[in-house]
Amino acid sequence: MTKKEEAAAKREEKRRLEIKIIQDMRSFEEQALQETFGKDFALICGVDEAGRGPLAGPVAAGACILPKDTEILYINDSKKLSPKKREELFAKIKEKALAWNVALVSAERIDEINILQATYEAMRQAIAGLTPSPDAVVVDAVTIPELSLPQRGIVKGDAKCYSIAAASILAKVTRDHLMEEYDARYPEYGFVKHKGYGTKEHIEALKKYGPCPIHRKSFIGHFIDIG
């Protein structure tokens, strides 16, 4: 076998491995719902959030229904992917999904009802915006209150479930794009670099300039006196 043939064989083996990983992730979410409800569901929606921890910007929730025969390679927990790979997968997921949606809940709303309730609100909005509507929901780690659909929360679901991983990418990339837009409006905070998280640079900027309209006052009070 030539070096070129060996390289081709390695690429093919890697592709087969990725297909197996995707198939296992899909089987896992289907089995989880079967164990909980005792039946199969045709349209499974994955749900995940991005941005619970930052000091600024909205919390985002992604919801995604993928066809059962779709194999988008390299889908994984968005935190484990490079920004370039997330962008590539973001485009593929939107192209191939039966339905997808990302909902955003503002910093002002987070301050009003707290981050957990804001996250649940974003998740419900993301699911409500899907056409067609899902038959069941798998969600990363939590159970969404006030949701009428059958649902199963799965710990570390963004690494175990195909649909949740896809939703995590949708939420993360959408929120990152928005924070880049905010950076142009409020360049002194460096949002393009840290996306609103509490980095040393961000906290120093807060101390120097004070909060801007997209800061979560209930969060930044731990770092600066906001009166």
Side-chain angles (χ1 to χ4, degrees):
M1 183 181 292
T2 66
K3 289 185 178 180
K4 185 175 182 180
E5 289 171 335
E6 286 179 359
K10 287 181 180 179
R11 287 195 299 270
E12 179 59 23
E13 178 60 27
K14 185 176 181 181
R15 190 185 73 84
R16 284 198 296 265
L17 177 61
E18 284 296 326
I19 290 173
K20 178 66 165 53
I21 290 171
I22 294 303
Q23 291 172 341
D24 289 347
M25 292 173 75
R26 169 139 277 162
S27 294
F28 182 90
E29 68 187 28
E30 291 174 351
Q31 289 170 8
L33 287 168
Q34 172 68 238
E35 289 169 2
T36 304
F37 299 103
K39 64 178 182 177
D40 295 323
F41 295 94
L43 299 180
I44 297 174
C45 170
V47 178
D48 199 9
E49 57 77 27
R52 281 182 66 172
L55 308 182
V59 63
C64 185
I65 304 172
L66 291 167
K68 288 187 178 290
D69 60 351
T70 297
E71 293 173 343
I72 305 173
L73 302 188
Y74 307 108
I75 279 185
N76 202 333
D77 171 8
S78 63
K79 296 183 292 296
K80 296 180 179 179
L81 300 168
S82 69
K84 180 180 178 181
K85 180 59 71 175
R86 281 198 299 264
E87 290 286 349
E88 291 173 0
L89 290 169
F90 182 65
K92 289 180 181 178
I93 292 165
K94 292 192 296 179
E95 176 188 351
K96 295 181 180 294
L98 288 175
W100 70 275
N101 188 33
V102 176
L104 301 165
V105 171
S106 70
E108 182 179 11
R109 182 65 171 161
I110 291 168
D111 288 338
E112 180 182 348
I113 63 174
N114 79 48
I115 184 59
L116 181 59
Q117 296 306 317
T119 300
Y120 291 149
E121 187 169 285
M123 288 177 168
R124 288 191 294 267
Q125 290 176 6
I127 297 165
L130 296 173
T131 302
S133 297
D135 299 315
V137 171
V138 285
V139 56
D140 185 38
V142 302
T143 299
I144 307 169
E146 302 172 31
L147 186 70
S148 60
L149 293 165
Q151 63 172 306
R152 170 75 185 266
I154 298 173
V155 175
K156 296 184 178 178
D158 49 4
K160 297 177 180 178
C161 293
Y162 187 55
S163 300
I164 296 177
S168 79
I169 293 167
L170 292 171
K172 171 66 173 168
V173 175
T174 298
R175 188 182 185 281
D176 283 356
H177 288 174
L178 182 60
M179 294 308 294
E180 289 162 8
E181 293 177 16
Y182 280 134
D183 183 76
R185 195 180 307 176
Y186 309 109
E188 60 270 30
Y189 298 98
F191 291 136
V192 74
K193 295 180 181 178
H194 51 66
K195 306 302 188 291
Y197 283 86
T199 63
K200 181 180 178 181
E201 175 190 5
H202 188 185
I203 293 169
E204 287 177 352
L206 269 169
K207 290 176 179 178
K208 182 175 182 179
Y209 300 107
C212 74
I214 68 162
H215 276 104
R216 304 174 184 178
K217 293 180 175 59
S218 55
F219 283 40
I220 64 173
H222 299 288
F223 300 96
I224 64 169
D225 182 6
I226 56 175

